[in-house]
Amino acid sequence: MFNIQPLPSNPAPLQRIDPLLAEPLPITLYLKRDDLLHPLVSGNKWRKLKYNLIVAQEQGFQTLLTFGGARSNHLYATAAAGQLLGLKTIGVVRGDETALLDSPTIRFCQAAGMTIHQVSRAAFRDKESPNFLAELVQLFGPAYILPEGGTNDLAIRGTAEIMPEIIVQLGTAPDVVCCAVGTGGTVLGLAASAPPQTDVIGFMALKGWSPPLDPAYPNLGYQTAYHFGGYAKTTPDLLQFMVDFEAETGILIEQVYTAKMLFGVLDLARKGHFKPNTTVVAMHTGGLQGRPHPHPLSL
Ligand SMILES: *Cc1c(COP(=O)(O)O)cnc(C)c1O
């Protein structure tokens, strides 16, 4: 048996959001609460780690090694999962991030037992190269390697479990499922498991890039207009939206992914993008460790 018991069991609740921001909208909106999957191994990062953790243990690895930046939810989730499962964790980070060792994310990772290994900017850029990986194995011993952001085939197998849960919880296939996109692993899993009548919309959290459209996923599309200046950038409008949404619903969100996606969903709804009475399921992908404390406007 694989030792995944300390980690969360599915499914995460599906919650109707109604009334919304005191404003009737021509859609029925649900939030898939993957933020509630686990307090530390949060949201889509748990989905993406799940089968990787099973395979790592199946293959006898005692160490997880991965990559990230000063605010990486993936690094945070990997450190927490490693601690829960009794696996050593190594976090390879760019050494020239000056604020790095002071970041709450990195401090959490270290407190959870992760060894933080700082490397040069050039080495970090080349982190997938066989030579660099061999060097890391020399230093730290055999390790199960997870890519930066956590997206690989096993991650997509995990995120492909979300859609069937939604369909069971809703009692029918949703018209539209919306999800924030970083590396794209979450939205690809949703699209891979979507029935033909369900559209999947990925909202880019980064500026100026979206994954190429793939004929294998005809119901997957991307919205690129809701990046708010770029990855982890915010605007007063976005932060005010977070304040209003949180006050109205009692559900905390964060500004890097879910707030941008929800802002986009409501903006599109207001502009008539969805047919009347469309059922939209928006993914709460978690990541609340990165939410500004105590309040969005404190950012
Ligand atoms: C990482 C992350 C995403 C992006 O997921 P990808 O699979 O990389 O596209 C979305 N939301 C939150 C909260 C995240 O931490």
Side-chain angles (χ1 to χ4, degrees):
M1 264 317 282
F2 312 117
N3 179 22
I4 57 166
Q5 286 83 358
L7 288 171
S9 57
N10 300 333
L14 185 69
Q15 185 173 355
R16 174 94 187 255
I17 304 296
D18 185 43
L20 195 76
L21 306 176
E23 174 195 10
L25 285 169
I27 59 171
T28 305
L29 182 63
Y30 291 85
L31 206 53
K32 176 66 169 164
R33 298 292 307 276
D34 269 14
D35 59 309
L36 298 177
L37 280 174
H38 193 277
L40 300 175
V41 190
S42 140
N44 66 339
K45 299 305 185 281
W46 154 242
R47 302 275 190 183
K48 299 206 287 186
L49 282 169
K50 178 178 170 184
Y51 288 104
N52 281 290
L53 294 173
I54 290 172
V55 167
Q57 292 180 98
E58 202 175 32
Q59 295 178 349
F61 284 100
Q62 272 147 37
T63 303
L64 306 171
L65 185 147
T66 194
F67 309 87
R71 281 182 302 228
S72 166
N73 290 336
H74 165 68
L75 213 58
Y76 188 103
T78 303
Q83 188 176 41
L84 285 164
L85 296 176
L87 298 169
K88 279 202 290 185
T89 53
I90 315 290
V92 178
V93 299
R94 250 176 49 188
D96 60 340
E97 285 201 36
T98 47
L100 186 82
L101 290 172
D102 215 27
S103 104
T105 302
I106 300 297
R107 272 190 264 127
F108 170 89
C109 291
Q110 289 175 316
M114 181 178 263
T115 300
I116 296 294
H117 179 60
Q118 292 184 269
V119 299
S120 72
R121 182 186 281 258
F124 195 83
R125 201 183 310 115
D126 256 3
K127 58 187 170 304
E128 311 283 337
S129 82
N131 281 350
F132 181 59
L133 293 178
E135 227 174 84
L136 291 173
V137 169
Q138 281 268 305
L139 270 174
F140 297 110
Y144 185 87
I145 294 179
L146 293 155
E148 185 178 21
T151 290
N152 57 16
D153 288 348
L154 288 172
I156 292 170
R157 190 166 146 203
T159 58
E161 293 182 338
I162 303 169
M163 184 69 79
E165 280 178 34
I166 291 173
I167 293 170
V168 167
Q169 289 171 316
L170 206 55
T172 181
D175 300 312
V176 181
V177 175
C178 295
C179 183
V181 177
T183 62
T186 310
V187 86
L188 274 184
L190 287 165
S193 53
Q197 68 269 40
T198 300
D199 288 332
V200 176
I201 308 178
F203 286 74
M204 297 310 303
L206 300 76
K207 184 174 166 177
W209 178 79
S210 71
L213 287 179
D214 185 338
Y217 303 117
N219 41 0
L220 173 61
Y222 294 96
Q223 287 286 336
T224 55
Y226 299 101
H227 57 70
F228 294 85
Y231 182 71
K233 299 262 171 36
T234 62
T235 67
D237 276 1
L238 179 72
L239 297 176
Q240 189 59 51
F241 169 77
M242 274 179 78
V243 171
D244 294 344
F245 183 89
E246 292 183 350
E248 179 91 10
T249 62
I251 300 167
L252 298 183
I253 53 178
E254 51 67 56
Q255 69 286 356
V256 181
Y257 296 103
T258 300
K260 292 183 180 183
M261 179 272 300
L262 284 171
F263 187 106
V265 170
L266 298 182
D267 190 54
L268 291 174
R270 241 176 251 123
K271 290 175 173 160
H273 177 89
F274 302 110
K275 284 189 239 130
N277 303 317
T278 295
T279 295
V280 177
V281 175
M283 288 301 306
H284 193 323
T285 39
L288 290 173
Q289 66 100 5
R291 179 180 173 275
H293 298 288
H295 194 272
L297 297 183
S298 65
L299 195 73

